[in-house]
């Protein structure tokens, strides 16, 4: 088989690495890929960016891949899956209507309410006056969210009304462009977060191992929200009993709700959850695999991913199962100076060392040059390791992360070693 993967992040490197291991796969194309996918076996980069829907569609028409996997949200929300399917190509990822679950937080809040799925109490507003009125009526910590896509950065956890109003004002005045012309303002939930990611053909689904991201930039869950600074699997807060509850109260009602609304959703579906004292609640949905969650989850996936994806695309997922390495895995993200703002670019990267089956460096914002890889984005690398327990995985990932060098590198020291649940006060 020939596979086409769209994207250039750590998620896409991990998917390419995993899919290239399949005996079914002859070649993996990655558009545009990064310096890591450029050297992965069976894998070839093609320099077409994720915003270039015409270019990607033309590429897929020319290459006729047996399967295309769309990694990031932007092309899904923009309708790339619709275009590839219209061209008669086999493609994993929801069409534009399904991708609204990630593309519009206001749509998702209405969807959750309509289908009785647990989530934080919220209001959707479009003016500063509406925002102020809601904030005044709800003293205490609130979370202010830009409706549209903002690369994981359009969410402000505001410990008090003043900060909530300031965030709402900035967003409504264009801090995130059109993405912030509608806002969701919601109750701040307290608990432990977990990422619950499934693959569905619209009817049946398989769940991947659970995982836990670290969204804030700095140790102790401080600093601004980022796309994710590190993750481990399994999630700390999900027991087998809780997983049953998540399936029954969140995943299955969501899939049934999509069907009831006339949407055939195929692809990965990521439920970002807060495990609260009242049970699991939905913080967000993503219409794709998580980044950096993909990296530790792929390290633990002990079966071939390709037949699962093929089954999802063809509507044959019923009865499928995933096999999971019982060992935990952990991934530490190394980010550029300036991230999550404007990242420094073009810094030479050294000290990458050698991968082993238990420890692998996934590239994200990197670019190959004749002199070696250089930085080319906010999140640069993810160092992922398996271990007999979480602390062993942590030691292995950090041991290797500390040997990597590029100017201005920043990473959290506490991935997999969190303090007890936060209180919304650390924004
Ligand atoms: P989202 O993109 O909606 O998942 O928000 C990004 C991050 O903001 C989440 O992973 C949480 O860390 C935090 N967050 C979002 N909504 C809430 C909430 N209602 N209560 C507490 N934290 C939240
Ligand atoms: N790591 C969070 C996300 O992929 O959205």
């Amino acid at each position: 088989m020939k596979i086409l993967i769209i994207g250039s992040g750590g998620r896409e490197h991990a998917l390419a690495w995993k899919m290239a291991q399949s005996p079914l796969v002859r070649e993996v194309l990655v558009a545009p890929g990064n310096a890591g996918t450029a050297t992965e076996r069976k894998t070839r980069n093609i320099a077409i960016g994720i915003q270039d829907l015409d270019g990607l569609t033309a590429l897929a028409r020319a290459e006729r891949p047996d399967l295309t996997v769309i990694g990031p949200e932007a092309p899904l929300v923009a309708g790339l899956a619709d275009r590839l399917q219209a061209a008669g190509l086999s493609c994993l990822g929801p069409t534009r209507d399904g991708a609204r679950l990630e593309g519009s937080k206001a749509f998702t809040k209405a969807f959750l309410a309509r289908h009785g799925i647990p989530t934080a109490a919220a209001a959707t507003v479009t003016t500063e006056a509406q925002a102020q009125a809601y904030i005044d009526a709800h003293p205490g910590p609130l979370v202010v969210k830009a409706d549209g896509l903002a690369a994981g950065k359009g969410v402000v956890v505001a410990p008090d009304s003043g900060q909530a109003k300031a965030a709402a004002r900035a967003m409504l005045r264009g801090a995130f462009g059109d993405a912030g012309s509608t806002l969701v303002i919601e109750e701040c939930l307290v608990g432990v977060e977990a990422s619950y990611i499934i693959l569905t053909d619209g009817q049946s689904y398989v769940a991947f191992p659970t995982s836990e991201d670290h969204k804030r930039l700095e140790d102790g869950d401080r600093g601004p929200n980022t796309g994710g600074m590190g993750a481990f699997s399994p999630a700390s807060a999900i027991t087998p009993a809780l997983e049953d509850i998540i399936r029954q109260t969140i995943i299955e009602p969501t899939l049934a709700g999509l069907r009831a609304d006339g949407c055939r959703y195929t692809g990965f579906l990521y439920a970002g959850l807060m495990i609260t004292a009242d049970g699991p609640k939905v913080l967000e949905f993503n219409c794709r695999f998580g980044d950096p969650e993909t990296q530790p989850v792929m390290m633990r996936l002990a079966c071939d991913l390709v037949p699962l994806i093929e089954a999802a695309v063809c509507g044959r997922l019923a009865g499928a199962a995933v096999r999971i390495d019982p060992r935990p895995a952990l991934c530490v993200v190394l980010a550029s100076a300036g991230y999550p703002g404007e990242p420094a670019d073009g810094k030479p990267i050294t000290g990458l060392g050698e991968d082993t089956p238990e420890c692998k460096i996934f590239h994200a914002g990197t670019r190959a040059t004749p002199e070696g890889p250089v930085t080319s984005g906010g999140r640069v690398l993810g160092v992922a390791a398996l271990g007999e327990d979480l602390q062993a995985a942590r030691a292995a990932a950090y041991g290797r992360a500390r040997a990597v060098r590029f100017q201005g590198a920043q990473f959290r020291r506490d991935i997999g070693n969190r303090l007890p649940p936060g209180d919304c006060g650390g924004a």
Side-chain angles (χ1 to χ4, degrees), residues 1-320:
M1 287 175 75
K2 186 198 274 189
I3 309 284
L4 171 61
I5 297 177
I6 310 293
S8 62
R11 166 185 48 221
E12 287 76 28
H13 188 181
L15 290 172
W17 168 78
K18 183 68 190 172
M19 293 178 85
Q21 289 171 28
S22 170
L24 301 169
V25 170
R26 178 171 43 84
E27 188 178 27
V28 180
L29 308 178
V30 190
N34 56 38
T37 54
T39 58
E40 209 54 69
R41 72 193 182 100
K42 299 190 198 168
T43 301
R44 178 159 60 94
N45 284 352
I46 297 183
I48 300 177
I50 63 166
Q51 309 292 349
D52 182 1
L53 264 50
D54 288 341
L56 293 170
T57 307
L59 169 71
R61 280 177 182 277
E63 292 281 353
R64 307 291 313 169
D66 299 289
L67 191 57
T68 298
V69 177
I70 305 174
E73 61 277 17
L76 289 164
V77 171
L80 182 59
D82 308 62
R83 292 182 58 169
L84 297 184
Q85 284 171 16
L89 293 158
S90 188
C91 167
L92 183 80
T95 49
R96 202 199 312 236
D97 60 343
R100 281 185 299 175
L101 278 184
E102 177 162 6
S104 168
K105 290 188 187 293
F107 170 85
T108 298
K109 289 308 272 196
F111 175 92
L112 291 166
R114 186 160 68 246
H115 297 294
I117 298 164
T119 188
T124 294
V125 303
T126 53
T127 66
E128 288 183 37
Q130 288 170 343
Q132 289 214 4
Y134 184 82
I135 294 167
D136 285 335
H138 296 83
L142 288 170
V143 184
V144 181
K145 304 184 175 188
D147 175 53
L149 295 184
K153 297 162 204 160
V155 172
V156 173
V157 180
D160 59 51
S161 302
Q163 291 182 53
K165 283 182 191 171
R169 198 178 314 117
M171 288 186 196
L172 288 168
R173 291 184 185 180
F176 296 106
D178 282 350
S181 57
T182 297
L183 306 182
V184 169
I185 307 180
E186 69 183 29
E187 151 199 30
C188 188
L189 299 176
V190 176
V192 180
E193 287 184 55
S195 305
Y196 198 82
I197 301 170
I198 64 158
L199 174 67
T200 180
D201 60 9
Q203 196 74 38
S204 305
Y205 71 98
V206 291
F208 289 99
T210 61
S211 52
E212 187 167 329
D213 191 10
H214 297 62
K215 291 258 166 60
R216 300 295 191 93
L217 181 68
E218 294 163 20
D219 287 359
D221 288 336
R222 281 189 292 268
N225 265 331
T226 69
M229 293 299 291
F232 59 84
S233 171
S236 62
I238 301 188
T239 58
L242 192 57
E243 183 162 357
D244 286 342
I245 294 173
I246 291 168
R247 286 169 174 262
Q248 286 157 19
T249 64
I250 293 173
I251 300 300
E252 285 155 25
T254 298
L255 297 178
L258 286 163
R259 286 194 297 272
D261 292 351
C263 173
R264 180 174 181 256
Y265 187 107
T266 61
F268 300 118
L269 178 66
Y270 166 136
L273 306 176
M274 187 72 91
I275 312 302
T276 73
D278 295 337
K281 298 190 180 185
V282 175
L283 293 176
E284 64 167 343
F285 284 122
N286 294 320
C287 60
R288 51 170 175 83
F289 225 107
D291 190 344
E293 290 93 327
T294 311
Q295 292 84 313
V297 170
M298 288 303 134
M299 295 290 288
R300 295 189 67 209
L301 198 63
C303 59
D304 192 341
L305 179 61
V306 175
L308 287 172
I309 292 182
E310 263 193 303
V313 170
C314 301
R316 288 188 282 101
L317 206 51

